[in-house]
Amino acid sequence: MKAVVWHGVGDIRLDEVTDPRIQEPTDAVIRITRSAICGTDLHMVRGTMPDMVEGTVLGHEAVGVVEEVGAQVRGFTPGDRVVVTSTIGCGTCSYCRAGYFAQCDTANPNGPEAGTCFFGGPKSTGPVDGLQAEYARIPHAMTALVRVPDAVSDDQAILLSDIFPTAWFGARLAEVGSGDTVLVLGAGVVGQFAIASAKRLGAGRVIVVDGIESRLAKAREQNAETVNFNSEDPTEVVKELTGGIGPDRVIEAVGVDAEKPDDKPSGEQWKPGDAPEQALKWAVEMVAKAGSIGIIGVYPPGFEQFPIGEAMNKNLTLRMGNCNHRRYLPRLLDLVVSGVVDPTAFITQHEKPSSAIEAYKSFDLREDGWLKTVLDVA
């Protein structure tokens, strides 16, 4: 089959690889109909997420059709439409039972202390071959797969594989509640869904900071108040908008590849962001005293730059982590079925897998208008 394969930093290829097969009785094999390119994938290609294994299939978002199930997969039948949860949990350990699927004791073959297991990640996460392919093996399928209702399209469902649950998780981490003033750092697709999530959790106001005008325009479609850090001082503007107090809650949806203000794109391919701690500094600077911050931007092991002293002196609550997708996905499916949220509003590109490498390159260069790219596999 065809798949997007990691060969080294800055080296990804559309390769012919061996078709997946059932390896454990808890596995399923699915035929993928939709996949997607995520900002997290760029961390692997840029080298900001270390220890990738050459030959790993990339991608952690997919919708598809069940082709084959293992003997212990009793709730799915070939032909079922499903969405894949990006993080993998066994469903039976104490962490999964408590809803912390991203900290499953069983799923990661490196052992219970290794942390989150997810598709298409580095050695520390498995590695488990990813979902930018024609077919995929799904470990712990009874937990990692969720049936897609007939009323939900593939295009709607693909954004429930990772992006919408991650944003919802970020709003929950930040403790967003009724009447809160919420700041979202980053207006990429996760930031867009963070705006939507905060509003549905009762936020009174949502302010969003980014440096790309097309993203800010999309945020204004949700009636978020926008701040462009390339044309104004975001800390001063956010303070002014909040009467000098700051927002009650901050959702940090940028991560280690943040860019400095006024730093124009160089056009250099696979260039990591030049201000890895910028979003964290802004979060701590801008939030109100005794406020809370939810961090869902990606930071790799070994990242050690955080303004802990200022956070301590403001009595801040900090929560962070990898999303427990399986915990939130069923509820978010209900929001889509009921028409409360239409995820397709945030898809800006449809590409065939044959164009995946070029799509990666355009997305990597932070080109205006590239918010979310969906791969139409079938």
Side-chain angles (χ1 to χ4, degrees):
M1 67 173 184
K2 292 284 190 181
V4 178
V5 179
W6 190 94
H7 288 276
V9 174
D11 183 4
I12 55 174
R13 308 172 199 171
L14 188 64
D15 288 347
E16 291 274 358
V17 301
T18 304
D19 289 357
R21 58 181 179 81
I22 299 290
Q23 297 180 21
E24 302 290 341
T26 51
D27 289 350
V29 171
I30 67 167
R31 173 175 56 84
I32 294 172
T33 57
R34 291 290 186 279
S35 187
I37 299 174
C38 179
T40 301
D41 299 324
L42 292 178
H43 292 299
M44 324 297 180
V45 187
R46 292 171 181 163
T48 47
M49 182 69 76
D51 296 325
M52 284 292 291
V53 176
E54 184 173 2
T56 300
V57 176
L58 289 175
H60 54 268
E61 300 168 274
V63 176
V65 178
V66 174
E67 290 282 302
E68 184 181 0
V69 297
Q72 292 183 23
V73 180
R74 296 171 178 264
F76 292 100
T77 302
D80 289 342
R81 289 178 65 232
V82 291
V83 57
V84 184
T85 62
S86 296
T87 48
I88 305 169
C90 70
T92 58
C93 72
S94 61
Y95 285 96
C96 286
R97 292 183 184 194
Y100 296 104
F101 296 94
Q103 293 300 322
C104 175
D105 268 346
T106 304
N108 195 323
N110 295 301
E113 297 300 314
T116 306
C117 180
F118 66 90
F119 293 96
K123 183 178 180 180
S124 62
T125 68
V128 178
D129 273 331
L131 307 175
Q132 289 168 6
E134 294 177 287
Y135 294 85
R137 179 181 76 92
I138 310 299
H140 302 289
M142 282 308 306
T143 304
L145 297 179
V146 175
R147 192 186 305 274
V148 177
D150 291 341
V152 176
S153 70
D154 284 0
D155 283 350
Q156 291 174 317
I158 187 59
L159 296 187
L160 295 169
S161 184
D162 175 25
I163 300 302
F164 195 0
T166 295
W168 189 272
F169 177 59
R172 291 288 301 272
L173 289 177
E175 302 178 350
V176 174
S178 181
D180 284 342
T181 295
V182 178
L183 172 66
V184 177
L185 291 173
V189 71
V190 175
Q192 300 293 336
F193 275 105
I195 296 167
S197 298
K199 285 178 173 289
R200 281 148 190 85
L201 287 170
R205 297 174 69 190
V206 179
I207 304 167
V208 61
V209 174
D210 200 283
I212 297 177
E213 186 52 43
S214 61
R215 294 179 177 180
L216 295 171
K218 181 62 73 172
R220 286 193 292 273
E221 291 178 11
Q222 300 191 71
N223 301 119
E225 302 170 60
T226 59
V227 180
N228 188 328
F229 64 69
N230 283 320
S231 60
E232 51 195 348
D233 184 317
T235 302
E236 290 184 3
V237 173
V238 169
K239 288 288 187 180
E240 180 181 352
L241 289 173
T242 56
I245 297 170
D248 305 295
R249 318 292 173 204
V250 176
I251 303 170
E252 197 281 86
V254 180
V256 72
D257 271 334
E259 299 269 37
K260 292 177 183 176
D262 299 317
D263 205 29
K264 305 302 181 186
S266 65
E268 180 183 347
Q269 201 75 66
W270 315 125
K271 173 182 172 289
D274 56 4
E277 76 287 352
Q278 182 67 77
L280 295 175
K281 285 184 174 180
W282 277 345
V284 172
E285 286 174 5
M286 295 179 191
V287 71
K289 293 184 296 183
S292 54
I293 300 172
I295 302 171
I296 49 175
V298 172
Y299 293 91
F303 182 88
E304 298 176 347
Q305 298 163 284
F306 185 82
I308 189 68
E310 187 175 354
M312 176 77 177
N313 288 326
K314 291 180 75 171
N315 278 50
L316 301 185
T317 297
L318 308 172
R319 300 177 70 197
M320 66 203 77
N322 297 317
C323 180
N324 306 300
H325 295 86
R326 186 59 176 80
R327 184 172 185 169
Y328 305 112
L329 203 158
R331 177 180 179 181
L332 300 182
L333 266 174
D334 288 342
L335 292 182
V336 174
V337 170
S338 65
V340 172
V341 178
D342 181 9
T344 61
F346 304 112
I347 296 174
T348 52
Q349 277 81 25
H350 279 272
E351 301 287 345
K352 288 293 184 183
S354 58
S355 302
I357 306 304
E358 291 305 313
Y360 257 101
K361 290 178 179 178
S362 295
F363 186 36
D364 170 68
L365 293 175
R366 304 160 176 88
E367 291 185 2
D368 202 38
W370 284 75
L371 187 63
K372 186 62 175 178
T373 301
V374 168
L375 300 177
D376 298 334
V377 184

